[in-house]
Amino acid sequence: MENDIVRTFSRLHDGGIEAWSFDDNILKLQVSCLYLAEMINPEFEFFYIEIPAVESLSLTCHLKDEESCVLTSPDEIFSGELEIISAESFDDKTVIHLYQGDVSAKYIVAELHLKASEIHIYQHENSEINVDILSKISDDYWTNFDK
C-alpha cells in the first residue's frame, strides 16, 4: 500500500511547485494544481503541503551534458520551475519525479528523494484535507475528464 506522501504527490500530477520553505526540518510547499483546486472551489489555485520531521532531502538531476548530479541544498533543489510528474516509494524514501520547466537549468528531469513519515494538505482557506479526500477529487476529475 502506498504511503500518504506518495499518494499525495501522485494525485498532484502536473502540479507546479510555486513556493517553498524548509525550516527546522519542516518542508512547506505551495503547489499549483488548478484542475484539482477548482474542484473544491472555482476560485482556488493551490494546495499547501506541510511535511514535518524531514529526515533527508535531496534531488538527483539528470543533466543535459553529463550523467547526473545530486543536490542537497534546498535553495538549489527548489530553484527553477518544478512540475510534479509522479511519485513512488523506494526503500524507506519517497521519490517524486519532477520535470524542470526552466530552459536555462542544466537538467530537464529529476527525482526528489524525501524521507519523512507524515504529510498535511491544506486548501486555500487553510483548512486541512486528508489524502483520501484529495484522492477522491482526483479520481472524480479523471473519471469525468473526457465527458
Side-chain angles (χ1 to χ4, degrees):
M1 182 174 177
E2 291 181 324
N3 69 48
D4 286 350
I5 298 172
V6 170
R7 289 178 62 208
T8 299
F9 282 97
S10 293
R11 296 301 191 218
L12 294 174
H13 168 75
D14 289 338
I17 298 173
E18 302 292 329
W20 66 274
S21 68
F22 188 63
D23 298 306
D24 298 323
N25 291 339
I26 301 170
L27 178 62
K28 294 181 180 181
L29 302 173
Q30 178 183 338
V31 178
S32 172
C33 195
L34 189 61
Y35 69 93
L36 291 184
E38 285 181 332
M39 291 190 69
I40 296 171
N41 183 319
E43 296 180 11
F44 290 176
E45 294 180 53
F46 304 103
F47 290 93
Y48 302 89
I49 307 298
E50 182 177 299
I51 304 171
V54 174
E55 295 179 43
S56 66
L57 182 69
S58 66
L59 186 74
T60 301
C61 306
H62 301 284
L63 303 177
K64 296 174 185 174
D65 300 331
E66 303 169 28
E67 286 192 22
S68 65
C69 74
V70 176
L71 305 176
T72 56
S73 162
D75 288 327
E76 291 179 313
I77 289 172
F78 295 107
S79 67
E81 300 170 15
L82 298 174
E83 182 179 303
I84 300 163
I85 300 170
S86 63
E88 63 183 330
S89 293
F90 187 77
D91 293 331
D92 60 347
K93 294 184 180 175
T94 298
V95 179
I96 303 162
H97 300 274
L98 302 167
Y99 170 76
Q100 173 59 268
D102 183 352
V103 294
S104 67
K106 294 182 180 181
Y107 66 95
I108 298 171
V109 293
E111 292 91 32
L112 180 65
H113 296 260
L114 171 69
K115 185 174 182 183
S117 59
E118 70 180 274
I119 188 167
H120 301 278
I121 311 159
Y122 301 92
Q123 56 188 341
H124 271 316
E125 299 165 336
N126 205 30
S127 59
E128 189 168 2
I129 61 172
N130 68 36
V131 70
D132 293 329
I133 292 171
L134 182 63
S135 293
K136 179 167 181 2
I137 293 167
S138 176
D139 291 344
D140 290 349
Y141 175 83
W142 291 111
T143 297
N144 296 307
F145 182 73
D146 287 332
K147 294 181 181 179

